[in-house]
Amino acid sequence: MTAVGIDAVEIWTGNLKLDLPGVFAPEKGEDPEKYTKGLGLNASSFPDSYEDIVTMGANAAHRLMERKGLEPDDVGRIDVATESAFDNSKPVSTYIAGCLESVFEGDFHHANKGERKFACIAGTQSLDDAYNWIRAGRNRGRGALVIATDTALYARDDPGEATQGAGAVALYITEDPDLVTLSTEQGYGSADETDFLKPNQQFPSVDGKRSVQVYLARMREALVDYQSVAGEIHLDDVRFVPFHTPFPGMVRKAAMLAYRHIIRDTAVEDELADEIGRQPRPEAFETDEEFREALREYMDGLKETDRYQEWYAETIDPTLTIAREVGNWYTGSVHVARISALKHALEQGEDLSGQKLAVGSYGSGAQAEIHSEVVQDAWKDEIGALNVDEQLEERYELSWDDYEEIHDVHNHNMDVDVESLTTPEGEFVFGGWGRMGEREYEYVE
């Protein structure tokens, strides 16, 4: 059976940066540590006035194709995952294909194009679609381009405002990939939930507390479902666990839940029993509330153990490095986490070839998916070719007045025209409106 997976990745962050402890917190009258320690965020990325989900996605895809020496004829499928789409009929993938056709010879007329929507999990669903398309033998030797692109803005003064972000991740999916292969086994947790939604509106309606509960519940279900087909997961089997990361503080909760579940009825639980006792079992309690209280006490103790903290520092924390500086990218966030982990390993001189990642994706509404990936021998070349650090360093730092203006520019209910804060170079930009109200784009050398 031929392995299928991610051959290459590229990333494109919005060209603007909002310093959360230095700019956002003082304006809100908040302690900066609410953001840096509570949410786990230092900064958010934002699109300049000439940027949007099309330009960011096209720029990431352009860079990937140029680096890999790809032409349009090498791509048989283009899927865009986004929850920031601006058209209910024409998919974002057609706009991005049009941008790419303006800089490459040939066209994508042969390519199947689509747009995926299921909140933040849509990027992973598009990855699954590409995998299935190739495994079914329908690709005719071509690869698939998967692009996760979002402008994750909240209404002003919304509690989620500090978690905003904007950027895109492009992935090229092929047989015999250079980066990671994908497991056949998957686990799902899915339910009809109302935790985060956008009913015909740009900015989300969010029940923050409920959203955390739903995220954790669906992740637990997905983990149980994955183990039912892939077998038990052991801590030593997995090098990194990239999670969907709306903000790093959320991942702290998901990681604790996963760790507790994985060590139950294992030697690790036995070894920790002398320090914090064994995990509570529901059958030992008369009421659900008594069980939940005992479970909270156990987890409070577990997270303070040296063993858990060492595991978290080695397995989870490296996946959060980029997210701390860019905020939430919705459909791209779990794919940013993967890049962050691999980048960390490269910088530490670690050889990951043959090692396993356990990837936990989530989308509100709600669904979680867990699958595994195996790192391939050429991973160092792929990750070493990225310029993430340069992109983060080159972002324009917003003042508070700048932030208010740029937020208004990207508010679909406002008609605001302001000068760009940066000068585009070697990238696609929004060029104005067409005769039917469509967006038009151009490439700036």
Side-chain angles (χ1 to χ4, degrees):
M1 184 182 297
T2 303
V4 176
I6 304 171
D7 187 64
V9 295
E10 271 294 350
I11 193 170
W12 187 279
T13 183
N15 285 328
L16 309 178
K17 170 187 174 181
L18 178 64
D19 182 328
L20 292 173
V23 175
F24 192 83
E27 285 292 334
K28 297 293 183 180
E30 304 271 13
D31 183 345
E33 290 191 350
K34 173 182 177 180
Y35 305 103
T36 56
K37 291 189 175 181
L39 295 177
L41 293 169
N42 299 320
S44 298
S45 62
F46 283 86
D48 207 334
S49 58
Y50 56 83
E51 295 186 282
D52 63 13
I53 57 173
V54 171
T55 67
M56 293 185 297
N59 287 327
H62 183 208
R63 178 175 288 154
L64 185 153
M65 290 183 66
E66 281 209 322
R67 178 167 65 79
K68 296 292 289 185
L70 300 175
E71 297 294 335
D73 195 54
D74 297 311
V75 178
R77 184 182 184 103
I78 303 175
D79 286 303
V80 171
T82 186
E83 54 180 291
S84 310
F86 44 76
D87 192 303
N88 291 325
S89 178
K90 180 178 167 64
V92 173
S93 57
T94 58
Y95 284 99
I96 289 178
C99 289
L100 297 174
E101 286 172 347
S102 72
V103 294
F104 286 102
E105 292 185 7
D107 58 51
F108 294 96
H109 291 190
H110 60 275
N112 188 12
K113 307 178 185 77
E115 184 176 302
R116 261 282 192 172
K117 182 185 74 175
F118 196 144
C120 302
I121 200 173
T124 295
Q125 290 182 323
S126 295
L127 179 59
D128 293 340
D129 291 340
Y131 174 92
N132 294 334
W133 173 72
I134 293 172
R135 286 291 302 274
R138 292 182 166 183
N139 61 316
R140 291 180 275 174
R142 294 177 169 124
L145 196 57
V146 170
I147 301 162
T149 181
D150 272 299
T151 297
L153 295 187
Y154 288 74
R156 298 297 306 282
D157 299 321
D158 186 280
E161 191 178 5
T163 68
Q164 296 172 130
V169 179
L171 307 97
Y172 187 54
I173 318 305
T174 66
E175 298 174 280
D176 297 320
D178 284 343
L179 191 60
V180 297
T181 58
L182 305 179
S183 66
T184 301
E185 299 82 12
Q186 298 166 293
Y188 294 99
S190 187
D192 179 11
E193 299 282 3
T194 307
D195 57 320
F196 175 112
L197 68 164
K198 301 179 181 178
N200 294 319
Q201 62 195 43
Q202 178 186 4
F203 301 131
S205 297
V206 187
D207 181 339
K209 183 176 180 180
R210 179 63 181 157
S211 189
V212 172
Q213 294 170 341
V214 173
Y215 177 101
L216 298 177
R218 302 292 82 76
M219 280 292 187
R220 180 188 61 78
E221 291 172 350
L223 180 56
V224 171
D225 192 47
Y226 176 78
Q227 289 181 309
S228 74
V229 292
E232 295 296 316
I233 297 175
H234 302 285
L235 296 178
D236 293 340
D237 293 341
V238 178
R239 178 60 189 92
F240 292 114
V241 184
F243 279 104
H244 166 56
T245 310
F247 55 92
M250 179 82 93
V251 174
R252 288 197 293 266
K253 299 176 184 293
M256 168 60 66
L257 182 149
Y259 188 88
R260 177 181 66 81
H261 181 87
I262 290 170
I263 68 169
R264 188 167 54 200
D265 297 324
T266 69
V268 175
E269 183 186 10
D270 295 340
E271 292 163 11
L272 290 171
D274 290 340
E275 186 175 352
I276 59 173
R278 294 184 63 79
Q279 292 189 34
R281 270 60 172 180
E283 59 270 17
F285 298 87
E286 293 185 1
T287 67
D288 288 344
E289 183 54 40
E290 289 176 344
F291 168 65
R292 287 193 293 268
E293 179 59 32
L295 195 57
R296 282 192 289 269
E297 291 179 5
Y298 177 83
M299 292 179 72
D300 286 344
L302 180 61
K303 71 181 179 183
E304 297 301 326
T305 64
D306 290 342
R307 185 153 191 166
Y308 175 75
Q309 291 184 6
E310 289 171 5
W311 175 83
Y312 184 91
E314 294 176 358
T315 309
I316 304 296
D317 196 62
T319 71
L320 305 175
T321 305
I322 299 173
R324 291 191 184 101
E325 307 304 325
V326 301
N328 188 2
W329 285 10
Y330 287 161
T331 56
S333 75
V334 70
H335 307 292
V336 168
R338 179 195 293 106
I339 292 170
S340 186
L342 298 177
K343 180 174 176 290
H344 169 85
L346 181 66
E347 292 168 349
Q348 297 301 310
E350 183 178 352
D351 186 7
L352 290 182
S353 299
Q355 296 204 47
K356 184 180 289 187
L357 313 179
V359 180
S361 302
Y362 173 77
S364 292
Q367 184 162 295
E369 181 203 309
I370 290 176
H371 70 262
S372 66
E373 302 174 358
V374 177
V375 181
Q376 300 301 291
D377 290 342
W379 74 275
K380 290 182 181 179
D381 293 336
E382 288 304 315
I383 298 302
L386 302 180
N387 68 339
V388 178
D389 291 337
E390 290 88 340
Q391 289 189 53
L392 297 180
E393 282 292 324
E394 291 172 1
R395 290 177 299 174
Y396 175 93
E397 295 215 19
L398 296 167
S399 67
W400 183 255
D401 288 343
D402 290 333
Y403 166 67
E404 290 190 309
E405 282 195 339
I406 208 67
H407 193 285
D408 289 347
V409 166
H410 294 289
N411 183 337
H412 297 169
N413 293 323
M414 300 183 72
D415 185 11
V416 178
D417 184 19
V418 301
E419 291 293 320
S420 63
L421 297 169
T422 60
T423 302
E425 182 179 356
E427 59 189 286
F428 295 102
V429 301
F430 171 65
W433 302 96
R435 65 182 182 85
M436 295 179 66
E438 75 275 17
R439 296 175 183 232
E440 295 184 335
Y441 298 92
E442 58 191 46
Y443 186 75
V444 176
E445 294 287 351

